[in-house]
Amino acid sequence: MKHAQKIKLGISIGDLNGIGSEIVLKTFDDSRMLDFCTPVIFASAKIITFLKKHYKLSLNFQGVEEASKAIDGKINVVNVWKENVNINFGEEDPNVGNYAFLSLEAATTALKNDDIDVLVTAPINKSSIQSDKFNFPGHTDYLARELQGESLMFMITDTLKIGLLTDHVALKDIASVITPELIEKKIEIIHETLKQDFRVEKPKIAVLGINPHSGDNGVIGKEDEEILKPTLHKIREKGKLVYGPYSADSFFGSKNNKNFDAVVASYHDQGLIPFKTLSFGNGVNFTAGLSKVRTSPDHGTAFEIAGTNSANINSFKEAVFKALEIYKCRKEYKKLTKNPLKKQGKKI
């Protein structure tokens, strides 16, 4: 009997001067991981050999020229480049940043071509990677362009899910960026992803206020009264279970988040500070709203410990498992909604 082919899990290597390569290789140094997926790392056999020796790992890998030729039961490395790369752990280097982009570009192309099923991205340095080809504040915006979707940064664990109205936006610009259209669009993405990717039949969503104390009825800013509240009322009228705005300073401390399937934060730090405080090292960044599944760990390049063989792999491993889980949920959801059971008419 022929066994079903495992999910092909693509991995972009991230900034080679950071901890990305360490957490990737240490995750798959555990051969049991091959029971769950077929990993495809986008880098080069030369660099993986160097890193394997540096971290004193025993993993074996298979070099392949393209992702479509990846072999089940093996760690596959796609040779995106052939030349040597000069690695200086802990340093910002635009040349190394360019290799991070080449890896991401190749992985994204493979994802678009269905040569891989899901993508897990190792951390990039947002400064080093900037170029004519990559002029984005992070992975999320780049993938939204490449996959032609409306993306949303969705930070997730099994018990906590926080989506952002705005992600990498300067604090001074947030009030002008948040519009009724943006609120409706982002909440719709969260509502749909809870249904198709997390099996939540009737999502219950909390929304945090834009200003301190949700504006205190207009005393501390008008945005909550004039933009957020009317928009949430409009969304509720369409039948969605959306509540708020809630004062962000007490929402998590009172454990109110446990009453909802997801929480919507107005801006980056409003959502990520409580998320990382409650789940750091085990959280996952999931890009919701796209046609393909992409996850990443909830941390950055950690230059301060890069190369020291001391990085924690938990968040990356969680990102792998979450990508596989979401892929399966989405596949099942599409199958169920594509062929809904027809009501049987009474025969005469």
Side-chain angles (χ1 to χ4, degrees):
M1 184 178 175
K2 190 178 178 182
H3 293 286
Q5 198 173 43
K6 291 186 179 73
I7 296 170
K8 277 189 183 179
L9 183 125
I11 301 161
S12 60
I13 200 64
D15 193 297
L16 290 163
N17 283 349
I19 64 167
S21 58
E22 180 184 347
I23 59 177
V24 170
L25 297 185
K26 281 185 175 178
T27 294
F28 291 100
D29 195 41
D30 182 348
S31 61
R32 293 173 299 180
M33 293 297 292
L34 298 179
D35 294 338
F36 303 104
C37 63
T38 298
V40 184
I41 303 170
F42 291 82
S44 79
K46 280 184 183 178
I47 204 71
I48 298 302
T49 299
F50 165 79
L51 292 163
K52 173 186 167 180
K53 289 178 182 176
H54 178 82
Y55 292 115
K56 298 179 173 61
L57 302 175
S58 59
L59 81 170
N60 295 313
F61 66 88
Q62 174 80 32
V64 293
E65 291 306 309
E66 54 190 65
S68 61
K69 295 179 180 176
I71 301 166
D72 266 354
K74 301 279 187 182
I75 298 167
N76 298 270
V77 176
V78 175
N79 284 295
V80 180
W81 62 85
K82 299 282 178 74
E83 67 273 17
N84 290 317
V85 181
N86 188 26
I87 294 178
N88 292 294
F89 291 115
E91 292 186 14
E92 261 190 36
D93 183 346
N95 185 52
V96 171
N98 180 55
Y99 286 104
F101 171 70
L102 292 175
S103 172
L104 176 62
E105 181 183 46
T108 305
T109 299
L111 188 65
K112 289 194 287 188
N113 293 339
D114 294 322
D115 291 333
I116 56 175
D117 299 310
V118 297
L119 173 62
V120 182
T121 59
I124 57 172
N125 179 275
K126 292 180 176 64
S127 175
S128 299
I129 200 172
Q130 296 300 317
S131 68
D132 292 340
K133 292 183 178 179
F134 189 98
N135 186 21
F136 302 91
H139 283 108
T140 304
D141 302 274
Y142 172 78
L143 291 167
R145 185 195 71 178
E146 291 299 309
L147 300 172
Q148 299 178 336
E150 294 288 353
S151 66
L152 176 132
M153 187 184 289
F154 205 29
M155 306 302 295
I156 61 172
T157 67
D158 288 337
T159 57
L160 178 63
K161 294 175 177 60
I162 302 179
L164 305 180
L165 290 181
T166 64
D167 40 53
H168 297 117
V169 175
L171 200 58
K172 66 181 177 61
D173 299 326
I174 286 166
S176 61
V177 170
I178 295 176
T179 62
E181 293 76 21
L182 179 76
I183 296 164
E184 287 192 65
K185 180 173 69 178
K186 296 292 187 180
I187 289 178
E188 178 63 25
I189 292 171
I190 290 176
H191 186 268
E192 286 307 302
T193 202
L194 286 169
K195 287 172 65 178
Q196 76 165 358
D197 298 333
F198 298 98
R199 296 192 179 104
V200 181
E201 192 172 336
K202 194 71 174 172
K204 194 176 176 186
I205 301 168
V207 181
L208 304 181
I210 300 169
N211 294 299
H213 308 295
S214 299
D216 267 344
N217 296 314
V219 175
I220 312 173
K222 306 290 184 185
E223 290 83 6
D224 293 276
E225 291 297 317
E226 296 179 357
I227 299 171
L228 194 52
K229 287 182 181 179
T231 307
L232 295 185
H233 178 72
K234 181 180 175 184
I235 294 169
R236 281 193 291 270
E237 285 187 326
K238 295 177 181 177
K240 289 186 174 65
L241 302 178
V242 178
Y243 302 88
Y246 293 98
S247 180
D249 64 345
S250 60
F251 185 80
F252 295 95
S254 66
K255 296 183 170 55
N256 199 8
N257 57 288
K258 293 181 181 293
N259 298 316
F260 300 93
D261 298 302
V263 180
V264 182
S266 293
Y267 55 93
H268 185 279
D269 284 11
Q270 188 189 62
L272 268 69
I273 288 173
F275 181 83
K276 292 188 177 184
T277 300
L278 294 171
S279 63
F280 194 73
N282 295 298
V284 172
N285 179 0
F286 167 48
T287 306
L290 300 181
S291 58
K292 304 287 187 178
V293 176
R294 174 261 173 169
T295 63
S296 72
D298 66 355
H299 57 74
T301 53
F303 278 162
E304 66 278 6
I305 62 166
T308 63
N309 210 4
S310 59
N312 188 322
I313 68 170
N314 287 352
S315 184
F316 184 83
K317 188 178 280 191
E318 276 298 308
V320 169
F321 285 130
K322 280 288 181 284
L324 301 176
E325 183 183 322
I326 291 166
Y327 178 81
K328 289 173 186 173
C329 282
R330 187 176 292 189
K331 197 172 181 181
E332 183 182 306
Y333 179 83
K334 286 179 178 176
K335 186 177 178 182
L336 289 172
T337 53
K338 186 178 179 181
N339 299 304
L341 292 171
K342 294 181 180 179
K343 291 183 179 179
Q344 296 294 320
K346 196 173 183 180
K347 290 184 179 180
I348 299 173

